[in-house]
Amino acid sequence: MRFAAYEHRHRHRVAVVEEDGTLFPLPGVTSLTALLTEAEGLPGLLDAGAAALDVPPGPHVSQVRLLPPLRPSSIRDFVTFEEHVEGVRRAVEGTGGVPEQWYAAPTFYFTNPHAVFGPHDDIPVPPGSTALDFELEVGAVIGREGRDLTPEQAREHIVGYTVFNDWSARDLQSAEMKVGLGPCKGKDTATTLGPYLVTADELEPYRDADGFLRLALNAEVNGETVGKDLLSNMSWTFEEMTAYASRGTRVVPGDVLGSGTCGNGGCLAELWGLRGERTPPPLKPGDTVTLTVEGIGTVSNTVVPGAEPVSLPAGRRRSRERP
């Protein structure tokens, strides 16, 4: 089952999306995140969706503005593709190879849940950046609260999946990571989610013998393919990632866990690192990035000019006087 959030005639609704694009609105539901909390897992969500199919249909998906399918409670973005790590380290950090620590656990960082864009929204250039990049990922959506989960338990807590574009200002990212805290403003201004939340049961036919989802991934810039990969090239499953995310803390309904960027052109920076030059060039206003994930759908966003950065002083070098 596929769920969409949309705006139509100045109203926000949540609906089940049929194969032909017909929307069946869920009565009284305006937030999929809230519905996930009430549903308490995939069975409850599927029941809510089935009930919507018993009411008259709404508009066609072509007649509405699709919003992000949910407003996440939090977004953890992992880095689970070895090939991506190799290429991007050359481009962003000026080093090569994969650090041994990477193999120890599925590392992630928290990104901004207040900067989520819909599947066809324009994306402003981050203030002060001249090296904007896309990143092709898949996001797993949590539907039940859990803590200290095993991977086996975690499967029952993943309610569905969505396409995830982690927009990245590579010049800002490269500068600020020298401080040693990880990405900051380089990742802070935009994440695309969409076009739908596809429930986990829909993707079970793609699961391979090792528990990975074998989904084809494709990235295009201005209609030209720049990257192709398989989601099953991840080094950890989503269940293992969820178990790690819940270690010593909670995952809650509406949390999104990004797979991390795929390899083989899943972002421009990987290609820059491999080629030793910025080919293709960084994204600029007017460029359109289209990402497609088999079984989930396509998001397509056009880059537009952003705001100028507000000027701030450099940090003061203090005397370190003591009282």
Side-chain angles (χ1 to χ4, degrees):
M1 193 170 285
R2 296 180 297 171
F3 288 82
Y6 67 93
E7 181 182 44
H8 183 60
R9 295 177 179 173
H10 307 293
R11 297 181 63 193
H12 288 194
R13 304 293 299 271
V14 174
V16 174
V17 188
E18 286 287 81
E19 287 295 328
D20 65 358
T22 302
L23 296 166
F24 285 81
L26 281 71
V29 178
T30 59
S31 166
L32 185 56
T33 307
L35 178 60
L36 292 176
T37 301
E38 296 171 7
E40 298 184 334
L42 181 57
L45 181 62
L46 293 176
D47 287 345
L53 296 176
D54 291 333
V55 300
H60 189 270
V61 69
S62 63
Q63 300 172 309
V64 306
R65 176 194 169 207
L66 284 176
L67 304 171
L70 75 159
R71 293 293 177 182
S73 306
S74 72
I75 306 175
R76 295 172 176 88
D77 198 8
F78 286 74
V79 53
T80 69
F81 287 83
E82 189 177 24
E83 187 175 9
H84 170 74
V85 176
E86 290 176 346
V88 169
R89 288 193 81 210
R90 291 191 187 97
V92 175
E93 301 176 28
T95 59
V98 179
E100 195 60 33
Q101 297 93 327
W102 180 82
Y103 298 96
T107 308
F108 66 88
Y109 72 97
F110 282 96
T111 192
N112 190 352
H114 309 300
V116 176
F117 287 75
H120 305 295
D121 290 343
D122 291 340
I123 304 297
V125 174
S129 176
T130 59
L132 181 60
D133 195 0
F134 70 89
E135 298 200 54
L136 171 52
E137 309 187 24
V138 171
V141 179
I142 300 299
R144 285 177 53 194
E145 183 174 333
R147 183 186 182 98
D148 292 312
L149 301 171
T150 66
E152 292 74 22
Q153 293 168 333
R155 182 168 296 188
E156 301 302 316
H157 292 256
I158 298 173
V159 75
Y161 301 88
T162 190
V163 182
F164 184 124
N165 187 348
D166 172 32
W167 299 90
S168 300
R170 296 301 189 188
D171 44 357
L172 306 184
Q173 178 188 1
S174 180
E176 66 200 6
M177 288 188 71
K178 291 180 173 61
V179 179
L181 285 179
C184 176
K185 281 297 173 184
K187 302 273 192 172
D188 198 38
T189 59
T191 299
T192 296
L193 298 179
Y196 312 119
L197 169 70
V198 177
T199 54
D201 58 302
E202 292 284 327
L203 298 183
E204 278 304 305
Y206 296 94
R207 194 176 294 276
D208 67 18
D210 296 319
F212 292 89
L213 296 173
R214 188 180 172 87
L215 305 178
L217 311 173
N218 188 79
E220 296 180 0
V221 177
N222 299 328
E224 180 179 345
T225 297
V226 296
K228 283 181 174 289
D229 202 2
L230 288 170
L231 188 63
S232 50
N233 285 330
M234 296 164 63
S235 290
W236 290 272
T237 67
F238 281 108
E239 290 79 11
E240 291 162 345
M241 293 157 55
T242 303
Y244 188 65
S246 74
R247 184 182 294 180
T249 187
R250 299 183 302 151
V251 292
V252 302
D255 283 353
V256 172
L257 279 59
S259 64
T261 308
C262 67
N264 194 39
C267 69
L268 298 178
E270 178 201 332
L271 299 177
W272 301 340
L274 294 173
R275 296 171 181 175
E277 60 181 16
R278 287 188 171 182
T279 305
L283 300 170
K284 62 184 184 304
D287 287 339
T288 297
V289 176
T290 302
L291 307 181
T292 300
V293 178
E294 183 180 11
I296 300 179
T298 297
V299 300
S300 188
N301 303 94
T302 298
V303 178
V304 297
E308 290 297 316
V310 175
S311 179
L312 293 174
R316 283 78 164 175
R317 296 184 184 274
R318 309 304 294 177
S319 65
R320 305 191 188 185
E321 291 182 282
R322 299 291 184 263

